Amino acid sequence: MNIEELSNISSQVRRDIVRMVTAAKSGHPGGSMGIADVMTALYFSVMNHSPENWKRNGQGQDVFILSAGHLAPVYYSVLARSGYFPVSELGTLRKFGSRLQGHPCVTDSLPGVFKPSGSLGQGLSVAAGIALGKKMDSDPGRVFCLCGDGESEEGQIWEAGMWAQHHKVDNLIAFTDWNGQQIDGPITSITGVEDLTEKWAAFGWDVIIADGHDFTSILDAFKLAGNANGKPKMILFKTEMGHGVDFMAGTHEWHGKAPSAEQCEKALAQLKETLGDY
């Protein structure tokens, strides 16, 4: 897809996120909107995947693991828009009996979801294990994993980082939503992971920095990460929480808060409808 097409899809994905969380009266819109461009590029231009042939074992295809599980709204939107399940199902987010739980779950076999996500820090370990399994099976598929910068305060992230480098899983492409915000405020005021560039390089990973709201930068970063040189890859996407809506952008206040009906309409007025609302 060209950049205009990707931009149109990401606008619709942001509309989905706002409407889903508003209807559910709970959820995490800020980070989901911030990483929407990256996730759109991943599912519509980068990954080798097929909704029609999807299997949870991931054989023969690329695999995506959501480590930052609270970003479920953007995950559900790109899955539905890619054809994994009906777009109309997005309206059931967090409702009783829905397959679209607040954090991704595999209990009801939701197509496209390889593992449940909830406790932060765990997803990168799973992604690294899948990546090694693919190498052992001579499976050409790659493994992508989305982490948060606040999530990177979790020790398990760095344990997985050491393990992946040691086992040379260069088919693992992790990427971080580097927005500088977490639930309680700016990251620098909570724990402060400091410079993620230096940290990941020190752990033996190839580090790539990109603009998470520029599709050329996003696509170039994923292409560069395809270099099979014996090292796992970490792309640090500079993003803005709540990107696309002026009153939600750049603040942690929308990390886990649902808009009111009035705020929803105000937000939707700033986001172009391109594929049709569910």
Side-chain angles (χ1 to χ4, degrees), residues 216-240:
T216 299
S217 181
I218 294 168
L219 294 173
D220 285 348
F222 278 124
K223 183 177 181 180
L224 188 59
N227 180 24
N229 62 353
K231 292 184 177 182
K233 314 298 189 296
M234 173 57 74
I235 307 174
L236 300 174
F237 283 113
K238 293 183 177 180
T239 61
E240 177 184 55

mmCIF file of all heavy atoms in Angstrom, residues 216-240:
data_model
loop_
_atom_site.group_PDB
_atom_site.id
_atom_site.type_symbol
_atom_site.label_atom_id
_atom_site.label_comp_id
_atom_site.label_asym_id
_atom_site.label_seq_id
_atom_site.Cartn_x
_atom_site.Cartn_y
_atom_site.Cartn_z
ATOM 1 N N THR A 216 6.960 6.951 5.963
ATOM 2 C CA THR A 216 8.233 6.664 5.305
ATOM 3 C C THR A 216 9.265 6.212 6.322
ATOM 4 O O THR A 216 9.984 5.225 6.115
ATOM 5 C CB THR A 216 8.736 7.910 4.548
ATOM 6 O OG1 THR A 216 7.794 8.273 3.537
ATOM 7 C CG2 THR A 216 10.085 7.629 3.905
ATOM 8 N N SER A 217 9.331 6.911 7.451
ATOM 9 C CA SER A 217 10.264 6.549 8.513
ATOM 10 C C SER A 217 9.928 5.180 9.093
ATOM 11 O O SER A 217 10.815 4.363 9.356
ATOM 12 C CB SER A 217 10.233 7.612 9.619
ATOM 13 O OG SER A 217 11.146 7.309 10.658
ATOM 14 N N ILE A 218 8.642 4.917 9.279
ATOM 15 C CA ILE A 218 8.198 3.633 9.835
ATOM 16 C C ILE A 218 8.596 2.479 8.910
ATOM 17 O O ILE A 218 9.179 1.473 9.345
ATOM 18 C CB ILE A 218 6.671 3.636 10.054
ATOM 19 C CG1 ILE A 218 6.287 4.643 11.146
ATOM 20 C CG2 ILE A 218 6.170 2.234 10.418
ATOM 21 C CD1 ILE A 218 4.796 4.919 11.217
ATOM 22 N N LEU A 219 8.280 2.616 7.641
ATOM 23 C CA LEU A 219 8.565 1.540 6.685
ATOM 24 C C LEU A 219 10.065 1.339 6.503
ATOM 25 O O LEU A 219 10.535 0.200 6.387
ATOM 26 C CB LEU A 219 7.897 1.844 5.345
ATOM 27 C CG LEU A 219 6.360 1.850 5.361
ATOM 28 C CD1 LEU A 219 5.818 2.332 4.017
ATOM 29 C CD2 LEU A 219 5.796 0.478 5.705
ATOM 30 N N ASP A 220 10.818 2.432 6.490
ATOM 31 C CA ASP A 220 12.272 2.322 6.377
ATOM 32 C C ASP A 220 12.857 1.580 7.580
ATOM 33 O O ASP A 220 13.787 0.773 7.441
ATOM 34 C CB ASP A 220 12.912 3.709 6.270
ATOM 35 C CG ASP A 220 12.720 4.343 4.894
ATOM 36 O OD1 ASP A 220 12.301 3.629 3.960
ATOM 37 O OD2 ASP A 220 12.986 5.549 4.771
ATOM 38 N N ALA A 221 12.311 1.858 8.761
ATOM 39 C CA ALA A 221 12.809 1.209 9.980
ATOM 40 C C ALA A 221 12.553 -0.293 9.945
ATOM 41 O O ALA A 221 13.436 -1.099 10.271
ATOM 42 C CB ALA A 221 12.143 1.831 11.212
ATOM 43 N N PHE A 222 11.355 -0.698 9.544
ATOM 44 C CA PHE A 222 11.053 -2.127 9.455
ATOM 45 C C PHE A 222 11.913 -2.808 8.388
ATOM 46 O O PHE A 222 12.351 -3.952 8.572
ATOM 47 C CB PHE A 222 9.573 -2.343 9.160
ATOM 48 C CG PHE A 222 8.685 -2.266 10.383
ATOM 49 C CD1 PHE A 222 7.621 -1.382 10.439
ATOM 50 C CD2 PHE A 222 8.917 -3.094 11.473
ATOM 51 C CE1 PHE A 222 6.794 -1.316 11.548
ATOM 52 C CE2 PHE A 222 8.097 -3.030 12.604
ATOM 53 C CZ PHE A 222 7.030 -2.137 12.636
ATOM 54 N N LYS A 223 12.160 -2.113 7.291
ATOM 55 C CA LYS A 223 13.013 -2.687 6.249
ATOM 56 C C LYS A 223 14.432 -2.881 6.770
ATOM 57 O O LYS A 223 15.053 -3.936 6.550
ATOM 58 C CB LYS A 223 13.008 -1.777 5.025
ATOM 59 C CG LYS A 223 13.814 -2.328 3.860
ATOM 60 C CD LYS A 223 13.720 -1.418 2.641
ATOM 61 C CE LYS A 223 14.509 -1.982 1.470
ATOM 62 N NZ LYS A 223 14.421 -1.099 0.266
ATOM 63 N N LEU A 224 14.956 -1.885 7.463
ATOM 64 C CA LEU A 224 16.301 -1.977 8.014
ATOM 65 C C LEU A 224 16.396 -3.104 9.042
ATOM 66 O O LEU A 224 17.419 -3.783 9.146
ATOM 67 C CB LEU A 224 16.677 -0.637 8.657
ATOM 68 C CG LEU A 224 18.118 -0.458 9.136
ATOM 69 C CD1 LEU A 224 19.099 -0.627 7.976
ATOM 70 C CD2 LEU A 224 18.279 0.919 9.773
ATOM 71 N N ALA A 225 15.311 -3.319 9.784
ATOM 72 C CA ALA A 225 15.303 -4.361 10.813
ATOM 73 C C ALA A 225 15.296 -5.762 10.223
ATOM 74 O O ALA A 225 15.495 -6.742 10.949
ATOM 75 C CB ALA A 225 14.089 -4.179 11.724
ATOM 76 N N GLY A 226 15.095 -5.876 8.925
ATOM 77 C CA GLY A 226 15.088 -7.190 8.282
ATOM 78 C C GLY A 226 16.474 -7.756 8.029
ATOM 79 O O GLY A 226 16.605 -8.870 7.511
ATOM 80 N N ASN A 227 17.499 -7.038 8.431
ATOM 81 C CA ASN A 227 18.876 -7.486 8.227
ATOM 82 C C ASN A 227 19.212 -8.662 9.142
ATOM 83 O O ASN A 227 19.258 -8.520 10.363
ATOM 84 C CB ASN A 227 19.833 -6.316 8.494
ATOM 85 C CG ASN A 227 21.287 -6.703 8.307
ATOM 86 O OD1 ASN A 227 21.597 -7.634 7.585
ATOM 87 N ND2 ASN A 227 22.170 -5.982 8.985
ATOM 88 N N ALA A 228 19.440 -9.838 8.561
ATOM 89 C CA ALA A 228 19.749 -11.040 9.353
ATOM 90 C C ALA A 228 21.248 -11.082 9.652
ATOM 91 O O ALA A 228 22.034 -11.681 8.920
ATOM 92 C CB ALA A 228 19.314 -12.292 8.605
ATOM 93 N N ASN A 229 21.648 -10.446 10.734
ATOM 94 C CA ASN A 229 23.072 -10.333 11.064
ATOM 95 C C ASN A 229 23.434 -10.972 12.402
ATOM 96 O O ASN A 229 24.478 -10.683 12.980
ATOM 97 C CB ASN A 229 23.482 -8.855 11.083
ATOM 98 C CG ASN A 229 22.734 -8.054 12.145
ATOM 99 O OD1 ASN A 229 21.810 -8.569 12.779
ATOM 100 N ND2 ASN A 229 23.130 -6.813 12.338
ATOM 101 N N GLY A 230 22.536 -11.835 12.901
ATOM 102 C CA GLY A 230 22.819 -12.510 14.163
ATOM 103 C C GLY A 230 22.359 -11.768 15.394
ATOM 104 O O GLY A 230 22.503 -12.278 16.505
ATOM 105 N N LYS A 231 21.778 -10.572 15.221
ATOM 106 C CA LYS A 231 21.322 -9.784 16.367
ATOM 107 C C LYS A 231 19.812 -9.557 16.314
ATOM 108 O O LYS A 231 19.262 -9.284 15.238
ATOM 109 C CB LYS A 231 22.014 -8.419 16.390
ATOM 110 C CG LYS A 231 23.501 -8.435 16.667
ATOM 111 C CD LYS A 231 24.022 -7.004 16.745
ATOM 112 C CE LYS A 231 25.501 -6.961 17.086
ATOM 113 N NZ LYS A 231 25.966 -5.548 17.213
ATOM 114 N N PRO A 232 19.133 -9.637 17.468
ATOM 115 C CA PRO A 232 17.732 -9.212 17.502
ATOM 116 C C PRO A 232 17.667 -7.701 17.292
ATOM 117 O O PRO A 232 18.660 -6.992 17.494
ATOM 118 C CB PRO A 232 17.268 -9.607 18.910
ATOM 119 C CG PRO A 232 18.530 -9.665 19.718
ATOM 120 C CD PRO A 232 19.618 -10.088 18.787
ATOM 121 N N LYS A 233 16.498 -7.217 16.879
ATOM 122 C CA LYS A 233 16.342 -5.804 16.537
ATOM 123 C C LYS A 233 15.356 -5.118 17.485
ATOM 124 O O LYS A 233 14.335 -5.703 17.850
ATOM 125 C CB LYS A 233 15.833 -5.652 15.102
ATOM 126 C CG LYS A 233 16.553 -6.518 14.070
ATOM 127 C CD LYS A 233 18.026 -6.182 13.965
ATOM 128 C CE LYS A 233 18.703 -6.884 12.799
ATOM 129 N NZ LYS A 233 18.720 -8.363 12.943
ATOM 130 N N MET A 234 15.674 -3.893 17.839
ATOM 131 C CA MET A 234 14.745 -3.062 18.608
ATOM 132 C C MET A 234 14.570 -1.737 17.876
ATOM 133 O O MET A 234 15.522 -0.976 17.689
ATOM 134 C CB MET A 234 15.265 -2.797 20.019
ATOM 135 C CG MET A 234 14.428 -1.786 20.818
ATOM 136 S SD MET A 234 12.663 -2.236 20.989
ATOM 137 C CE MET A 234 12.779 -3.572 22.193
ATOM 138 N N ILE A 235 13.327 -1.478 17.444
ATOM 139 C CA ILE A 235 13.003 -0.195 16.829
ATOM 140 C C ILE A 235 12.357 0.681 17.896
ATOM 141 O O ILE A 235 11.365 0.289 18.513
ATOM 142 C CB ILE A 235 12.037 -0.352 15.642
ATOM 143 C CG1 ILE A 235 12.567 -1.373 14.631
ATOM 144 C CG2 ILE A 235 11.816 1.003 14.972
ATOM 145 C CD1 ILE A 235 11.589 -1.679 13.504
ATOM 146 N N LEU A 236 12.912 1.840 18.116
ATOM 147 C CA LEU A 236 12.358 2.798 19.067
ATOM 148 C C LEU A 236 11.564 3.832 18.279
ATOM 149 O O LEU A 236 12.135 4.719 17.640
ATOM 150 C CB LEU A 236 13.478 3.460 19.865
ATOM 151 C CG LEU A 236 14.355 2.510 20.697
ATOM 152 C CD1 LEU A 236 15.524 3.272 21.315
ATOM 153 C CD2 LEU A 236 13.539 1.812 21.785
ATOM 154 N N PHE A 237 10.251 3.681 18.301
ATOM 155 C CA PHE A 237 9.391 4.604 17.571
ATOM 156 C C PHE A 237 9.010 5.778 18.464
ATOM 157 O O PHE A 237 8.337 5.609 19.481
ATOM 158 C CB PHE A 237 8.115 3.897 17.095
ATOM 159 C CG PHE A 237 8.314 3.015 15.903
ATOM 160 C CD1 PHE A 237 8.170 1.638 15.998
ATOM 161 C CD2 PHE A 237 8.635 3.568 14.665
ATOM 162 C CE1 PHE A 237 8.332 0.825 14.886
ATOM 163 C CE2 PHE A 237 8.803 2.753 13.544
ATOM 164 C CZ PHE A 237 8.657 1.388 13.653
ATOM 165 N N LYS A 238 9.455 6.957 18.088
ATOM 166 C CA LYS A 238 9.073 8.165 18.820
ATOM 167 C C LYS A 238 7.629 8.499 18.483
ATOM 168 O O LYS A 238 7.290 8.764 17.330
ATOM 169 C CB LYS A 238 9.996 9.315 18.449
ATOM 170 C CG LYS A 238 11.435 9.107 18.910
ATOM 171 C CD LYS A 238 12.304 10.312 18.584
ATOM 172 C CE LYS A 238 13.717 10.134 19.100
ATOM 173 N NZ LYS A 238 14.584 11.308 18.801
ATOM 174 N N THR A 239 6.779 8.455 19.496
ATOM 175 C CA THR A 239 5.352 8.667 19.291
ATOM 176 C C THR A 239 4.813 9.679 20.295
ATOM 177 O O THR A 239 5.490 10.064 21.245
ATOM 178 C CB THR A 239 4.570 7.357 19.441
ATOM 179 O OG1 THR A 239 4.769 6.849 20.775
ATOM 180 C CG2 THR A 239 5.006 6.312 18.423
ATOM 181 N N GLU A 240 3.566 10.055 20.079
ATOM 182 C CA GLU A 240 2.865 10.974 20.971
ATOM 183 C C GLU A 240 1.597 10.290 21.448
ATOM 184 O O GLU A 240 0.754 9.904 20.639
ATOM 185 C CB GLU A 240 2.530 12.263 20.226
ATOM 186 C CG GLU A 240 1.735 13.264 21.044
ATOM 187 C CD GLU A 240 1.347 14.479 20.222
ATOM 188 O OE1 GLU A 240 0.724 14.294 19.143
ATOM 189 O OE2 GLU A 240 1.659 15.603 20.641
#
